[in-house]
């Protein structure tokens, strides 16, 4: 069964460094999302992406964050200058146009030191 | 602003028991509601999705109901098994597409 994949599974970085989190959505899906979950807290929406542009973003998604679909398969989240409070599990999700269910990847655990 | 709340925060039951998890939301103008399962340190697995026009959905031992006007949904798990132990999340979708999550109910089913 097709699934959303994410790499890396874990990343440790120093504060102020740039990180890129990668996602491969399910192949025929058209809507893409990033969410994050700080340890012990709710899953929070970051950004949605459709037709090669951002369709919605949260207050968290400031100018330190960016998303890109560089080719037909990858969907990336970039954090330009990481902060301690960016430490979280980052989830990518996708859905097909004709269905409502969002399918989530296994997540990337980011630790900023 | 939409707020999603789940009670209880944690629940421990003996194997075989039927149980109900609750989810409430403050703004009834939702597009749909989705229940997920999350195992420790893992991603989210979609269990059931209920459209705003529907009252319930069933999948195997799971039944989810939706009362949009009162801002409530329940997830009923029949004949619980130790393998059902996980955190269960509900999330509502707004018109724009983003999901707004509750904090989850951590379920433990004891053999």
């Amino acid at each position: 069964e097709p699934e959303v994949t994410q790499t890396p599974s874990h990343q440790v970085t120093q504060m102020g460094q740039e990180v890129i989190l990668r996602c491969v959505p399910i192949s025929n899906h058209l809507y893409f999302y990033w969410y994050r979950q700080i340890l012990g807290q709710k899953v929070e929406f970051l950004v949605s992406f459709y037709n090669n542009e951002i369709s919605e973003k949260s207050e968290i998604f400031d100018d330190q964050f960016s998303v890109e679909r560089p080719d037909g398969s990858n969907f990336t989240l970039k954090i330009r200058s990481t902060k301690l409070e960016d430490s979280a599990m980052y989830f990518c999700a996708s859905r097909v146009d004709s269905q409502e269910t969002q399918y989530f990847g296994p997540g990337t655990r980011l630790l900023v030191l | 602003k939409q707020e999603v709340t789940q009670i209880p925060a944690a629940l421990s039951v003996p194997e075989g028991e039927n149980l109900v998890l609750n989810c409430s939301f403050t703004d009834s103008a939702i597009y749909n509601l989705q229940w997920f399962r999350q195992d420790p340190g893992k991603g989210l697995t979609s269990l059931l999705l209920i459209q705003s026009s529907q009252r319930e959905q069933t999948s195997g031992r799971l039944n989810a109901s939706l009362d949009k006007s009162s801002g409530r949904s329940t997830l009923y798990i029949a004949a619980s098994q130790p393998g059902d132990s996980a955190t269960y999340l509900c999330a509502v979708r707004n018109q724009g597409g983003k999901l707004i999550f509750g904090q989850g109910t951590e379920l433990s089913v004891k053999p």
Side-chain angles (χ1 to χ4, degrees), chain B residues 32-72:
Chain B
N32 60 49
L33 183 146
Q34 203 165 342
W35 281 94
F36 293 88
R37 169 186 173 136
Q38 184 177 29
D39 292 284
K42 303 292 186 183
L44 281 64
T45 301
S46 179
L47 298 173
L48 289 164
L49 182 143
I50 311 178
Q51 298 288 1
S52 61
S53 58
Q54 296 176 320
R55 298 285 292 183
E56 65 179 292
Q57 281 286 334
T58 298
S59 176
R61 294 183 294 107
L62 304 179
N63 175 277
S65 69
L66 175 65
D67 184 343
K68 203 174 80 155
S69 60
S70 68
R72 291 179 185 173

Side-chain angles (χ1 to χ4, degrees), chain A residues 48-86:
Chain A
S48 58
F49 192 86
Y50 171 71
N51 200 24
N52 283 320
E53 60 183 27
I54 291 173
S55 47
E56 190 174 1
K57 60 183 181 180
S58 72
E59 296 170 351
I60 303 166
F61 195 89
D62 61 22
D63 56 8
Q64 291 299 308
F65 291 86
S66 62
V67 289
E68 195 176 37
R69 187 155 162 82
D71 53 43
S73 60
N74 290 285
F75 179 51
T76 63
L77 173 70
K78 182 193 288 186
I79 310 175
R80 288 188 183 81
S81 178
T82 50
K83 304 172 196 164
L84 296 176
E85 54 265 36
D86 293 328

Side-chain angles (χ1 to χ4, degrees), chain B residues 8 13 20 23 37-38 40 42 46 48 53 61-62 64-66 75 77-78 84-85 87 94 101 103 105-106 109:
Chain B
V13 300
V20 175
C23 173
R37 169 186 173 136
Q38 184 177 29
K42 303 292 186 183
S46 179
L48 289 164
S53 58
R61 294 183 294 107
L62 304 179
S65 69
L66 175 65
L75 179 67
I77 303 176
D84 295 331
S85 298
T87 297
N94 68 353
F101 284 82
Q103 74 274 32
T105 293
E106 187 176 352
V109 182

Side-chain angles (χ1 to χ4, degrees), chain B residues 3 54 71 99 105 107-109:
Chain B
E3 294 284 344
Q54 296 176 320
L99 293 178
T105 293
L107 173 65
S108 175
V109 182

Side-chain angles (χ1 to χ4, degrees), chain A residues 14-76:
Chain A
Q14 295 292 322
M15 188 170 57
Q17 294 296 304
E18 174 183 286
V19 295
I20 298 176
L21 309 183
R22 291 184 167 78
C23 169
V24 179
I26 296 173
S27 62
N28 63 335
H29 286 195
L30 300 177
Y31 296 83
F32 313 113
Y33 307 85
W34 283 102
Y35 294 83
R36 78 174 186 188
Q37 186 178 31
I38 295 171
L39 189 64
Q41 298 188 21
K42 292 183 179 184
V43 176
E44 304 172 286
F45 167 80
L46 292 178
V47 65
S48 58
F49 192 86
Y50 171 71
N51 200 24
N52 283 320
E53 60 183 27
I54 291 173
S55 47
E56 190 174 1
K57 60 183 181 180
S58 72
E59 296 170 351
I60 303 166
F61 195 89
D62 61 22
D63 56 8
Q64 291 299 308
F65 291 86
S66 62
V67 289
E68 195 176 37
R69 187 155 162 82
D71 53 43
S73 60
N74 290 285
F75 179 51
T76 63

